[in-house]
Amino acid sequence: EVQLVESGGGLVQPGRSLRLSCAASGFTFDDYAMHWVRQAPGKGLEWVSGISWNSGSIGYADSVKGRFTISRDNAKNSLYLQMNSLRAEDTALYYCAKDWGESIAVANYFDYWGQGTLVTVSS
Amino acid sequence: SYELTQPPSVSVSPGQTARITCSGDALPKQYAYWYQQKPGQAPVLVIYKDSERPSGIPERFSGSSSGTTVTLTISGVQAEDEADYYCQSADSSGRVFGGGTKLTVL
């Protein structure tokens, strides 16, 4: 059974940093691209960032480019999101999502999602 | 950046057909996908590659594509189909979601 478990969320002041983690199990982690998708309270889904199976290709939404860094450790079956210079508008539930394929360059879909970790940016 | 446009809301009575559209300039060149999200739950894929239905998704869910618009059709809507629906595709920098459509079953 595929499982994606996010952690690392919490309350953080504007301008500070936070690192999210996603522990994956139930599939061959290094065969697939992975993503972070967020959802602000009462709002829609927003793709944040994606990383290919071997970290060779990485993409970011314009809203987080230059502030967030995605990475993965295939030996630990883990995905990460380093979030710096956080803003109030980054407040959201952050989902870890598995890609159907290995590359972020192909318009694939997300076939499994975690339950999310909540990030609240407020003073 | 690339945008996908959905109507904010659609309302139908039980047993009727609901159609939710998603428009985007790149849709003729890129596949579209549809997700259902119920309150407090993670999204679930209901249609992939414009019109394919994953295993476990009821046959009443179908998808179609015409030019720059893709459509999610739910035939014989049931109360349990009340949810938010999102289309998703891609642009040169990554993935894109539509703004979402709230389906209300009257």
Coordinates of all heavy atoms in Angstrom, one line a residue, chain B residues 7 15 21 28 33 37 40 47 51 59 66-67 75 84 86-88 90-91 93:
Chain B
P7 N -15.5 27.0 -14.1 CA -16.6 27.8 -13.4 C -16.5 27.6 -11.9 O -16.2 26.4 -11.5 CB -17.8 27.2 -14.0 CG -17.4 25.8 -14.4 CD -16.0 25.9 -14.8
G15 N -29.6 12.5 -10.0 CA -30.0 11.9 -11.2 C -29.8 12.6 -12.5 O -29.8 12.0 -13.6
T21 N -16.5 22.3 -17.0 CA -15.5 22.6 -18.1 C -14.2 23.2 -17.5 O -14.2 23.7 -16.4 CB -16.1 23.7 -19.1 OG1 -16.5 24.9 -18.3 CG2 -17.3 23.1 -19.7
P28 N -5.0 21.7 -26.2 CA -5.0 20.8 -27.4 C -3.6 20.0 -27.5 O -3.6 19.1 -28.2 CB -5.1 21.8 -28.5 CG -5.8 23.0 -27.9 CD -5.3 23.1 -26.5
Y33 N -6.3 16.3 -16.6 CA -6.6 15.3 -15.5 C -7.6 16.0 -14.6 O -7.6 17.2 -14.5 CB -5.4 14.9 -14.8 CG -4.3 14.4 -15.7 CD1 -3.3 15.3 -16.1 CD2 -4.2 13.1 -16.1 CE1 -2.3 14.9 -16.9 CE2 -3.2 12.7 -17.0 CZ -2.2 13.6 -17.4 OH -1.3 13.2 -18.2
Q37 N -12.2 16.4 -4.8 CA -11.8 16.6 -3.4 C -13.0 16.8 -2.5 O -13.7 17.8 -2.7 CB -10.8 17.7 -3.3 CG -10.2 17.9 -1.9 CD -9.3 19.0 -1.7 OE1 -9.4 20.1 -2.3 NE2 -8.2 18.8 -0.9
G40 N -11.9 18.0 3.9 CA -11.0 17.3 4.9 C -10.3 16.2 4.3 O -9.6 15.5 5.0
I47 N -10.3 11.2 -13.6 CA -10.1 11.1 -15.0 C -8.7 11.4 -15.3 O -8.1 12.4 -14.8 CB -11.0 12.0 -15.8 CG1 -12.5 11.7 -15.7 CG2 -10.6 12.1 -17.3 CD1 -12.9 10.4 -16.4
S51 N -9.8 11.5 -20.9 CA -11.0 10.7 -20.9 C -10.9 9.3 -20.3 O -11.9 8.6 -20.4 CB -11.5 10.6 -22.4 OG -10.6 10.0 -23.2
E59 N -18.5 4.4 -13.4 CA -18.7 4.6 -14.8 C -19.4 5.9 -15.1 O -19.3 6.4 -16.3 CB -19.5 3.5 -15.5 CG -18.7 2.2 -15.5 CD -19.4 1.1 -16.3 OE1 -20.5 1.4 -16.8 OE2 -18.9 -0.1 -16.3
S66 N -12.3 19.0 -26.5 CA -12.6 19.7 -27.7 C -11.8 21.0 -27.8 O -12.2 21.9 -27.1 CB -14.1 19.9 -27.9 OG -14.3 20.5 -29.1
G67 N -10.8 21.1 -28.6 CA -10.0 22.3 -28.7 C -9.4 22.7 -27.4 O -8.7 21.9 -26.8
S75 N -22.7 11.6 -15.0 CA -24.1 11.2 -15.4 C -24.8 10.6 -14.3 O -24.2 9.7 -13.6 CB -24.0 10.2 -16.6 OG -23.3 10.8 -17.7
D84 N -15.5 19.3 -4.5 CA -14.8 20.2 -5.4 C -14.1 19.4 -6.4 O -13.5 18.3 -6.1 CB -13.8 21.0 -4.6 CG -14.4 22.0 -3.6 OD1 -15.5 22.5 -3.9 OD2 -13.9 22.2 -2.5
Y86 N -11.2 19.6 -9.6 CA -10.1 20.4 -10.2 C -9.6 19.7 -11.4 O -9.3 18.5 -11.5 CB -8.9 20.5 -9.2 CG -9.3 21.2 -7.9 CD1 -9.7 20.5 -6.8 CD2 -9.1 22.6 -7.8 CE1 -10.0 21.2 -5.6 CE2 -9.3 23.3 -6.6 CZ -9.9 22.6 -5.5 OH -10.1 23.2 -4.4
C87 N -9.3 20.5 -12.5 CA -8.6 20.0 -13.6 C -7.1 20.4 -13.4 O -6.8 21.3 -12.6 CB -9.1 20.6 -14.9 SG -9.0 22.4 -15.1
Q88 N -6.3 19.6 -14.1 CA -4.8 19.8 -14.0 C -4.2 19.5 -15.3 O -4.6 18.5 -16.0 CB -4.3 18.9 -12.9 CG -2.8 18.9 -12.8 CD -2.1 17.6 -13.1 OE1 -2.5 16.5 -12.7 NE2 -1.1 17.7 -13.9
A90 N -0.3 20.9 -17.6 CA 1.1 21.3 -17.4 C 1.5 22.4 -18.3 O 0.9 22.6 -19.4 CB 2.0 20.1 -17.6
D91 N 2.5 23.1 -17.9 CA 3.2 24.1 -18.8 C 4.7 23.8 -18.8 O 5.1 22.8 -18.3 CB 2.8 25.5 -18.5 CG 3.4 25.9 -17.1 OD1 4.1 25.1 -16.5 OD2 3.1 27.1 -16.7
S93 N 7.1 24.9 -17.1 CA 7.8 24.9 -15.9 C 7.2 23.9 -14.9 O 7.9 23.7 -13.8 CB 7.8 26.3 -15.3 OG 6.5 26.7 -15.0

